[in-house]
Amino acid sequence: RVPKEKPKAEPAPKPRQAPTDEAQMAAAAALARLELKAKAKPPSSQDAIKNQVRRELMAEAAASEEGLSAGQQDLACPAREGAAAPSVSGVYFICPLTGVVVRKDQKEKHLREAIQAYFSVDPVAASIMSIHTFNKDQEKLRVGMETVAKYLDNIYLHPEEEKYRKIKLQNKVFQERVSCLEGIQNFFQAIGFETKTLPVPGHETTEEYYVLQEEMLTKLEDLKDYKEQLLNSKPVRAQLDRQLCVFKPSPEAARFELPNDFYNLTAEEIKREQRLRTEAVEKASMLRTKAMREKEEQREMRKYNYTLVRVRFPDGYILQGTFYARESVSALYNLVREALRDDWLPFELLGPGGLKLMDENLAFNECGLVPSALLTLAWDTAVMADIQAAGGELPTSPLKPELLSRVQTLS
């Protein structure tokens, strides 16, 4: 947690006449990192999948004439360049299938469209994605998948038994455990089942069945693989877009104006909270127990789903990113390291009053860094002294040139 007491002032480093062993090691590490800068990677299979899904979505949009207009597309993706407002316009996510950035309220719709487009690439994988992503009841999902796995195991172990290759759709167990799952029909079709109406022996009625096609009896190993994929796959989750921004030095750095997306509240609840804040003075004068204070703190933390964090560098430039409120502070340290020209340089992040963030494993809301926070970056003084003693020079700005090329202005 952020300590309450201020850190003791560190003694000024003594002047050094020659490079120390540590300085030489730091310089060698820097050279090694520069030499090992990642070269352009060849397109991966994941890139090919993203490109294919993008093409499918574009073709589908053109065919239905329901594609977004240019103005809508500008609204759907946050601006990345030019002058920007002091805070973000909303919360955005990156679709792992297409790489497209979408608003929070458009996330599920886009995921559905992307998975639907993926059916043309791999119908089995797409149906499994749909099952894991859109069935929220985890217990019901587990029971349903285990039941389907038993169906496939029976076929694999007893391919000569015709009864195992037929699944009655009106069967009570099938109805309660399997057919209630979203996407399950697409899965059965994708792995080789077809719907047939068959007569009931001894009766004049008929019933609906899933029947495995004869050709699949020569592909029993495929059925086994499909079962393993079904049991071991994970839901498709859109990744929170950090909306990484760099701002010029500004006295407005500590001012935040956040959209409703950052709050776990409705608009009416937000207004009510604002009204309650006017009564905070009266509450502060009341004698409260430690348990009462802790309960109020927990309730306060649950109000926020996300937090907007700014880090001010020694040269005044400001790095901004969006995080989950319950995400670990280590994510912020990683973001800062990735933004540095020399990511090997050790640094500390300081809160108001120069208090250090000591434990990177704590969540933002546990450190009081929600729904927004302004932190200050400080270099390790010993390492800086070694670099200067060795005659080394740091760049004018520690940030990567590609970030500085699209610096914005806080207004």
Side-chain angles (χ1 to χ4, degrees):
R1 296 178 180 274
V2 180
K4 294 183 179 179
E5 65 277 358
K6 293 186 178 180
K8 296 181 180 178
E10 296 179 1
K14 296 180 180 180
R16 309 198 179 195
Q17 302 299 325
T20 62
D21 292 341
E22 290 80 0
Q24 295 178 13
M25 291 175 63
L31 290 174
R33 290 175 185 273
L34 290 173
E35 292 173 358
L36 292 176
K37 287 291 185 182
K39 299 180 179 180
K41 296 182 180 179
S44 63
S45 58
Q46 187 68 19
D47 294 332
I49 290 174
K50 288 183 179 180
N51 291 334
Q52 177 65 24
V53 173
R54 283 198 194 99
R55 287 194 293 269
E56 293 291 336
L57 286 174
M58 291 174 64
E60 185 176 316
S64 61
E65 296 183 353
E66 292 179 356
L68 289 174
S69 66
Q72 289 172 318
Q73 289 176 353
D74 291 340
L75 179 63
C77 297
R80 292 288 192 264
E81 299 181 4
S87 51
V88 291
S89 59
V91 177
Y92 295 83
F93 290 84
I94 305 172
C95 175
L97 294 176
T98 63
V100 174
V101 178
V102 295
R103 282 192 66 102
K104 175 186 173 184
D105 55 0
Q106 295 294 317
K107 177 179 62 172
E108 183 166 345
K109 177 178 180 291
H110 183 84
L111 280 177
R112 286 184 179 277
E113 292 175 348
I115 291 176
Q116 184 62 38
Y118 195 64
F119 271 91
S120 64
V121 180
D122 188 338
V124 175
S127 61
I128 292 175
M129 287 180 192
S130 180
I131 292 170
H132 281 272
T133 303
F134 302 122
N135 291 286
K136 306 302 183 183
D137 189 326
Q138 293 301 305
E139 179 61 20
K140 184 182 292 185
L141 177 62
R142 182 190 64 81
V143 172
M145 290 192 301
E146 289 179 353
T147 304
V148 174
K150 289 179 181 179
Y151 290 145
L152 299 182
D153 278 338
N154 286 335
I155 296 173
Y156 181 79
L157 297 174
H158 310 283
E160 71 285 352
E161 293 285 346
E162 183 181 357
K163 65 179 181 179
Y164 291 130
R165 303 199 299 268
K166 296 189 299 184
I167 303 173
K168 185 165 68 172
L169 301 188
Q170 297 305 315
N171 178 273
K172 183 179 179 181
V173 172
F174 183 83
Q175 286 284 322
E176 293 178 351
R177 299 183 182 180
V178 179
S179 66
C180 58
L181 297 180
E182 181 176 347
I184 199 66
Q185 295 180 355
N186 290 330
F187 175 73
F188 277 111
Q189 293 173 1
I191 66 174
F193 282 84
E194 56 185 351
T195 305
K196 286 188 176 182
T197 302
L198 301 177
V200 178
H203 298 79
E204 296 181 356
T205 58
T206 59
E207 289 183 325
E208 295 287 325
Y209 287 83
Y210 279 146
V211 180
L212 186 68
Q213 300 176 38
E214 290 289 335
E215 63 189 51
M216 291 305 299
L217 294 177
T218 62
K219 304 176 182 179
L220 294 177
E221 290 300 324
D222 290 346
L223 284 181
K224 185 178 180 181
D225 290 340
Y226 298 152
K227 182 200 76 171
E228 294 300 325
Q229 291 180 41
L230 178 67
L231 294 177
N232 299 317
S233 293
K234 300 294 182 183
V236 179
R237 293 285 183 255
Q239 179 184 359
L240 179 65
D241 182 19
R242 298 296 186 200
Q243 301 185 71
L244 187 64
C245 297
V246 176
F247 298 109
K248 295 177 182 178
S250 171
E252 301 291 330
R255 186 168 69 86
F256 293 88
E257 294 179 2
L258 300 177
N260 292 343
D261 288 357
F262 275 71
Y263 299 85
N264 192 22
L265 300 170
T266 64
E268 292 76 14
E269 289 172 329
I270 291 175
K271 291 179 181 178
R272 182 171 58 85
E273 289 296 330
Q274 291 174 343
R275 186 180 69 253
L276 291 176
R277 286 182 184 278
T278 61
E279 304 171 5
V281 176
E282 297 179 8
K283 284 189 175 183
S285 63
M286 295 171 55
L287 182 62
R288 294 177 296 165
T289 65
K290 181 180 178 181
M292 291 171 63
R293 291 194 301 270
E294 290 178 349
K295 185 176 181 180
E296 287 186 8
E297 289 174 359
Q298 291 293 327
R299 185 167 59 249
E300 187 73 17
M301 288 193 299
R302 286 195 295 269
K303 292 178 185 176
Y304 311 109
N305 288 330
Y306 310 94
T307 184
L308 187 65
V309 181
R310 291 174 181 158
V311 177
R312 181 157 44 198
F313 284 76
D315 61 358
Y317 278 78
I318 301 160
L319 185 72
Q320 175 179 285
T322 303
F323 301 85
Y324 288 107
R326 294 172 180 81
E327 196 169 357
S328 125
V329 174
S330 61
L332 175 60
Y333 275 85
N334 292 336
L335 184 75
V336 173
R337 289 189 188 98
E338 292 172 0
L340 295 175
R341 288 175 183 256
D342 302 304
D343 58 4
W344 57 272
L345 285 172
F347 62 87
E348 297 174 330
L349 295 179
L350 310 178
L355 302 180
K356 297 180 182 179
L357 289 178
M358 304 294 292
D359 190 349
E360 294 186 28
N361 295 320
L362 290 177
F364 287 96
N365 58 4
E366 293 177 315
C367 299
L369 301 178
V370 291
S372 60
L374 174 63
L375 305 176
T376 301
L377 181 141
W379 302 116
D380 185 289
T381 54
V383 173
M384 292 297 104
D386 284 338
I387 293 176
Q388 291 176 357
E393 294 183 1
L394 290 175
T396 305
S397 175
L399 292 169
K400 290 180 177 177
E402 55 266 31
L403 291 177
L404 294 173
S405 66
R406 50 191 180 91
V407 65
Q408 304 176 19
T409 302
L410 280 172
S411 57

